[in-house]
Amino acid sequence: MDQVAAPKAKRGTRFGLSGARSAVVKRARAVAGVPLAAALIAAAIVAVIPDRYVASTMIQTDPLRKAPTPAVEEEDPALSDTLASEAERKEIDKQMEFLRSASILDAVITELHLADDPEFNKRSMLSRVMGLFRSPAPGEELRAAISNRLSINRVRSTFLVYVQFTSTDGAKSARIANAIANQFLAQRPSPIAKAAVAVRKPGELSASERMFSSLVEKYGSAVTFAGPRIVNIAGSPDRAAGPKRIRIVAITGGLTLLLTIMLALWLEREALLRTRKVEKTLACPHMISIPAMAPPSDPLASARGARMIVAEPQGIYADAVRKVCNELGQRKSDEAGHETGHETGRVILVASALPDEGSEIFASNIAHYFAVSALQTLLVDCDFRGKGLTRELTPQISGGLLNQIAARAPIEDAILRDGLTGLHFLPASGPAPIPLAVPTAIRSQEFSSAIAGLKSRFPIIVLSAPPLLPISDARVLAELADDIVFLTAWHRTPQSLARKALTLLEANQKKVVGAVLTDVAEDQATGIMSFAAIFDEIRRAARISTIERAA
């Protein structure tokens, strides 16, 4: 058995290019659909956003520059020029702040009647909420709306300053930018003073003046302007500066595609990591992973699930059953033959940790597989309390194994045969009460003798056991079994409980052939998953990750 499980463990530890390709292919619907949906949503949002136009006017400032002291000038001319440039920078910064001052903005608002413009009178939700706690000063919100659309930037280290204004109307943005520049000139005359100009050698220019001269030549003028003035008047922009609709949609779709691919790779990696933890957590080989097959409420559908190997022979569930049966066939279980000197039937116990983990249906499908493979196979419903298989396969039965034990009657009289598959079935009991306690019955000599007698007649006996944790019936049945197949719902059952259930088998734990994980997709499946399956996978992965962190 170790030789069979080793290649599987080695194969499951690699996640290379083929694994990444499989992860994306299996989740192709999400990888293609989610970015497309995100791009369409982004396109719908940017379609209703109005265009933004930016108009620019250029102002020349003429800051007051304090002259360095003669001692500094004689000691280090370069330092003198640096001090002069620093004074220029501070003065230009003050004038840039003055361009945003309330006096200029109020004058522009009055001149252009912006108080009546709906573009600047819309109150945002945040301003309305803040208004509940603080009453803004008169005109404060309107000035803030104008100031938020105003951009003041110095052109490198020159005396030139860009005044840019953004609006939904190109002509309006140009009018406001020019009005701000005109108000600046009207309210702030040139601060230049001959007495304050630094004494320099004839023909020598400062760094700011050299940069300014190059920009003046670039704009086609060889005249050096004196005093603050407008260099370029803002014109109505022909094209909108934003929003960049195509770029926004492309970036949204591309980023969503990247995130979706990363999510697909993470989900695949999480599935592989959880599967590889099976042997370490449960201390037994991992046989297969299959989807959950919970018993439906419809009796006809229940019977179909118990015969899935026959009803859907090409399905994922049937393929998992075949793999488990092939592995059971490779396991050498002839201990009874060594003891008695001749081969007897094999007793395969199928059990789970908790109820509703799919052990009954899986046991039925194993038995049906061996039956259609021309082996005399007996399926025994040993869940004498739940009697799930009895209700699904023989709902009208009046007696069963427990009835025969209580009446000390031959067990063979209660065995039924399926004419389609050739499977023999031994129900748990009939609907009438039985004057015999279940623990007493399964621990009785009559029960052990009955199973031993059946082994001489049937090469394969499959026992469908009740859950290991709630009651002790399955632990007693493990004494009579040759092989044990353990099922657990890996995404629902806490791993600590699954491990505890196996520990309860004590010495019989060595009979465990392997663990079958239910409620998960087949690890090697390459089919394209549905959106519902992908969302369910995300939910389960997040839940399991949370449980593991909490543990």
Side-chain angles (χ1 to χ4, degrees):
M1 179 57 204
D2 294 339
Q3 295 177 351
V4 175
K8 290 189 175 184
K10 183 178 180 181
R11 182 173 62 248
T13 56
R14 297 181 179 179
F15 184 74
L17 182 60
S18 60
R21 183 172 61 251
S22 175
V24 174
V25 170
K26 286 196 295 186
R27 301 163 183 87
R29 285 190 174 90
V31 172
V34 173
L36 179 60
L40 292 176
I41 294 174
I45 293 175
V46 298
V48 300
I49 298 177
D51 290 334
R52 293 181 290 103
Y53 295 89
V54 179
S56 302
T57 182
M58 182 182 290
I59 300 176
Q60 175 200 335
T61 62
D62 196 358
L64 175 64
R65 181 155 37 87
K66 296 182 180 180
T69 62
V72 173
E73 202 170 66
E74 292 176 1
E75 181 179 349
D76 191 349
L79 179 60
S80 173
D81 189 66
T82 301
L83 294 174
S85 298
E86 181 64 19
E88 291 172 356
R89 185 190 64 79
K90 291 181 178 180
E91 181 61 28
I92 292 175
D93 288 344
K94 291 180 181 179
Q95 295 188 39
M96 292 171 63
E97 292 177 3
F98 182 70
L99 280 165
R100 290 182 175 275
S101 64
S103 60
I104 289 181
L105 295 182
D106 288 342
V108 172
I109 291 171
T110 303
E111 177 187 350
L112 300 180
H113 306 288
L114 299 182
D116 301 327
D117 194 322
E119 180 181 354
F120 307 113
N121 285 293
K122 295 179 179 178
R123 296 187 64 186
S124 64
M125 183 61 67
L126 179 61
S127 65
R128 293 178 181 178
V129 173
M130 296 300 296
L132 299 176
F133 304 96
R134 182 181 67 88
S135 298
E140 180 181 350
E141 292 186 349
L142 183 57
R143 282 195 298 270
I146 301 295
S147 180
N148 290 337
R149 293 167 172 79
L150 179 62
S151 176
I152 310 294
N153 297 296
R154 185 182 179 184
V155 182
R156 299 184 184 175
S157 58
T158 67
F159 302 150
L160 302 177
V161 173
Y162 270 124
V163 178
Q164 296 178 322
F165 194 83
T166 303
S167 174
T168 57
D169 182 86
K172 186 196 301 182
S173 63
R175 288 197 305 270
I176 296 175
N178 290 328
I180 292 173
N182 290 329
Q183 289 296 328
F184 172 76
L185 298 180
Q187 297 186 31
R188 186 176 181 84
S190 174
I192 193 70
K194 293 182 180 180
V197 177
V199 179
R200 294 192 302 273
K201 296 179 181 179
E204 183 180 1
L205 299 176
S206 67
S208 298
E209 292 171 330
R210 288 194 296 270
M211 178 66 72
F212 176 71
S213 298
S214 65
L215 290 174
V216 168
E217 293 177 1
K218 177 180 178 181
Y219 284 98
S221 176
V223 180
T224 302
F225 301 111
R229 62 182 63 233
I230 297 176
V231 178
N232 276 342
I233 298 175
S236 179
D238 298 329
R239 300 177 59 184
K244 306 293 185 182
R245 292 181 171 84
I246 297 178
R247 181 182 301 177
I248 292 174
V249 172
I251 291 176
T252 301
L255 289 178
T256 309
L257 175 63
L258 179 61
L259 292 175
T260 309
I261 292 176
M262 293 175 62
L263 177 63
L265 297 178
W266 176 76
L267 290 173
E268 188 75 4
R269 179 178 176 272
E270 286 295 305
L272 292 177
L273 287 177
R274 287 193 298 271
T275 300
R276 289 198 295 267
K277 287 177 60 179
V278 174
E279 295 192 11
K280 181 179 179 181
T281 303
L282 303 180
C284 67
H286 170 220
M287 300 181 74
I288 200 71
S289 297
I290 57 175
M293 290 291 295
S297 56
D298 186 3
L300 296 178
S302 299
R304 178 182 175 85
R307 299 183 177 91
M308 191 63 67
I309 189 70
V310 179
E312 296 182 13
Q314 303 303 321
I316 296 177
Y317 195 89
D319 185 57
V321 172
R322 281 191 291 269
K323 289 181 180 180
V324 171
C325 291
N326 290 336
E327 192 161 336
L328 286 170
Q330 295 174 8
R331 179 181 174 86
K332 294 182 179 179
S333 179
D334 51 1
E335 295 155 353
H338 288 310
E339 293 176 1
T340 59
H342 59 85
E343 289 192 4
T344 60
R346 291 177 59 191
V347 177
I348 302 172
L349 179 71
V350 181
S352 62
L354 297 173
D356 299 326
E357 292 191 292
S359 62
E360 296 173 345
I361 294 177
F362 199 75
S364 176
N365 279 276
I366 288 178
H368 277 85
Y369 173 81
F370 285 124
V372 297
S373 301
L375 290 175
Q376 287 283 338
T377 305
L378 174 64
L379 173 63
V380 184
D381 185 4
C382 293
D383 187 0
F384 301 110
R385 293 176 174 84
K387 298 186 287 187
L389 281 180
T390 300
R391 290 195 304 270
E392 292 175 9
L393 299 179
T394 56
Q396 305 299 326
I397 195 68
S398 59
L401 174 59
L402 204 58
N403 299 92
Q404 300 301 103
I405 295 293
R408 299 182 182 273
I411 302 297
E412 290 78 4
D413 294 345
I415 296 177
L416 305 175
R417 183 179 182 276
D418 184 3
L420 177 63
T421 62
L423 175 68
H424 294 78
F425 177 58
L426 183 55
S429 66
I434 301 174
L436 180 64
V438 172
T440 303
I442 61 175
R443 287 176 172 83
S444 64
Q445 182 63 37
E446 290 81 1
F447 188 88
S448 301
S449 301
I451 297 298
L454 294 173
K455 289 178 66 174
S456 62
R457 177 180 173 185
F458 295 97
I460 299 291
I461 299 176
V462 180
L463 305 182
S464 175
L468 284 163
L469 286 178
I471 52 180
S472 62
D473 296 0
R475 306 170 212 169
V476 179
L477 295 171
E479 295 286 345
L480 306 175
D482 300 304
D483 299 313
I484 300 174
V485 177
F486 179 71
L487 274 79
T488 180
W490 193 246
H491 286 154
R492 289 188 290 113
T493 302
Q495 297 174 18
S496 58
L497 292 182
R499 186 168 55 247
K500 179 181 178 181
L502 283 171
T503 305
L504 293 175
L505 293 174
E506 298 178 345
N508 292 313
Q509 191 171 354
K510 64 182 179 180
K511 299 179 181 180
V512 177
V513 180
V516 176
L517 306 187
T518 64
D519 198 28
V520 293
E522 168 60 34
D523 293 341
Q524 305 300 326
T526 57
I528 298 178
M529 301 171 63
S530 64
F531 279 107
I534 295 171
F535 291 146
D536 188 58
E537 183 183 29
I538 295 173
R539 176 187 61 79
R540 292 183 301 184
R543 177 177 177 269
I544 294 300
S545 299
T546 303
I547 292 175
E548 290 177 353
R549 286 195 299 268

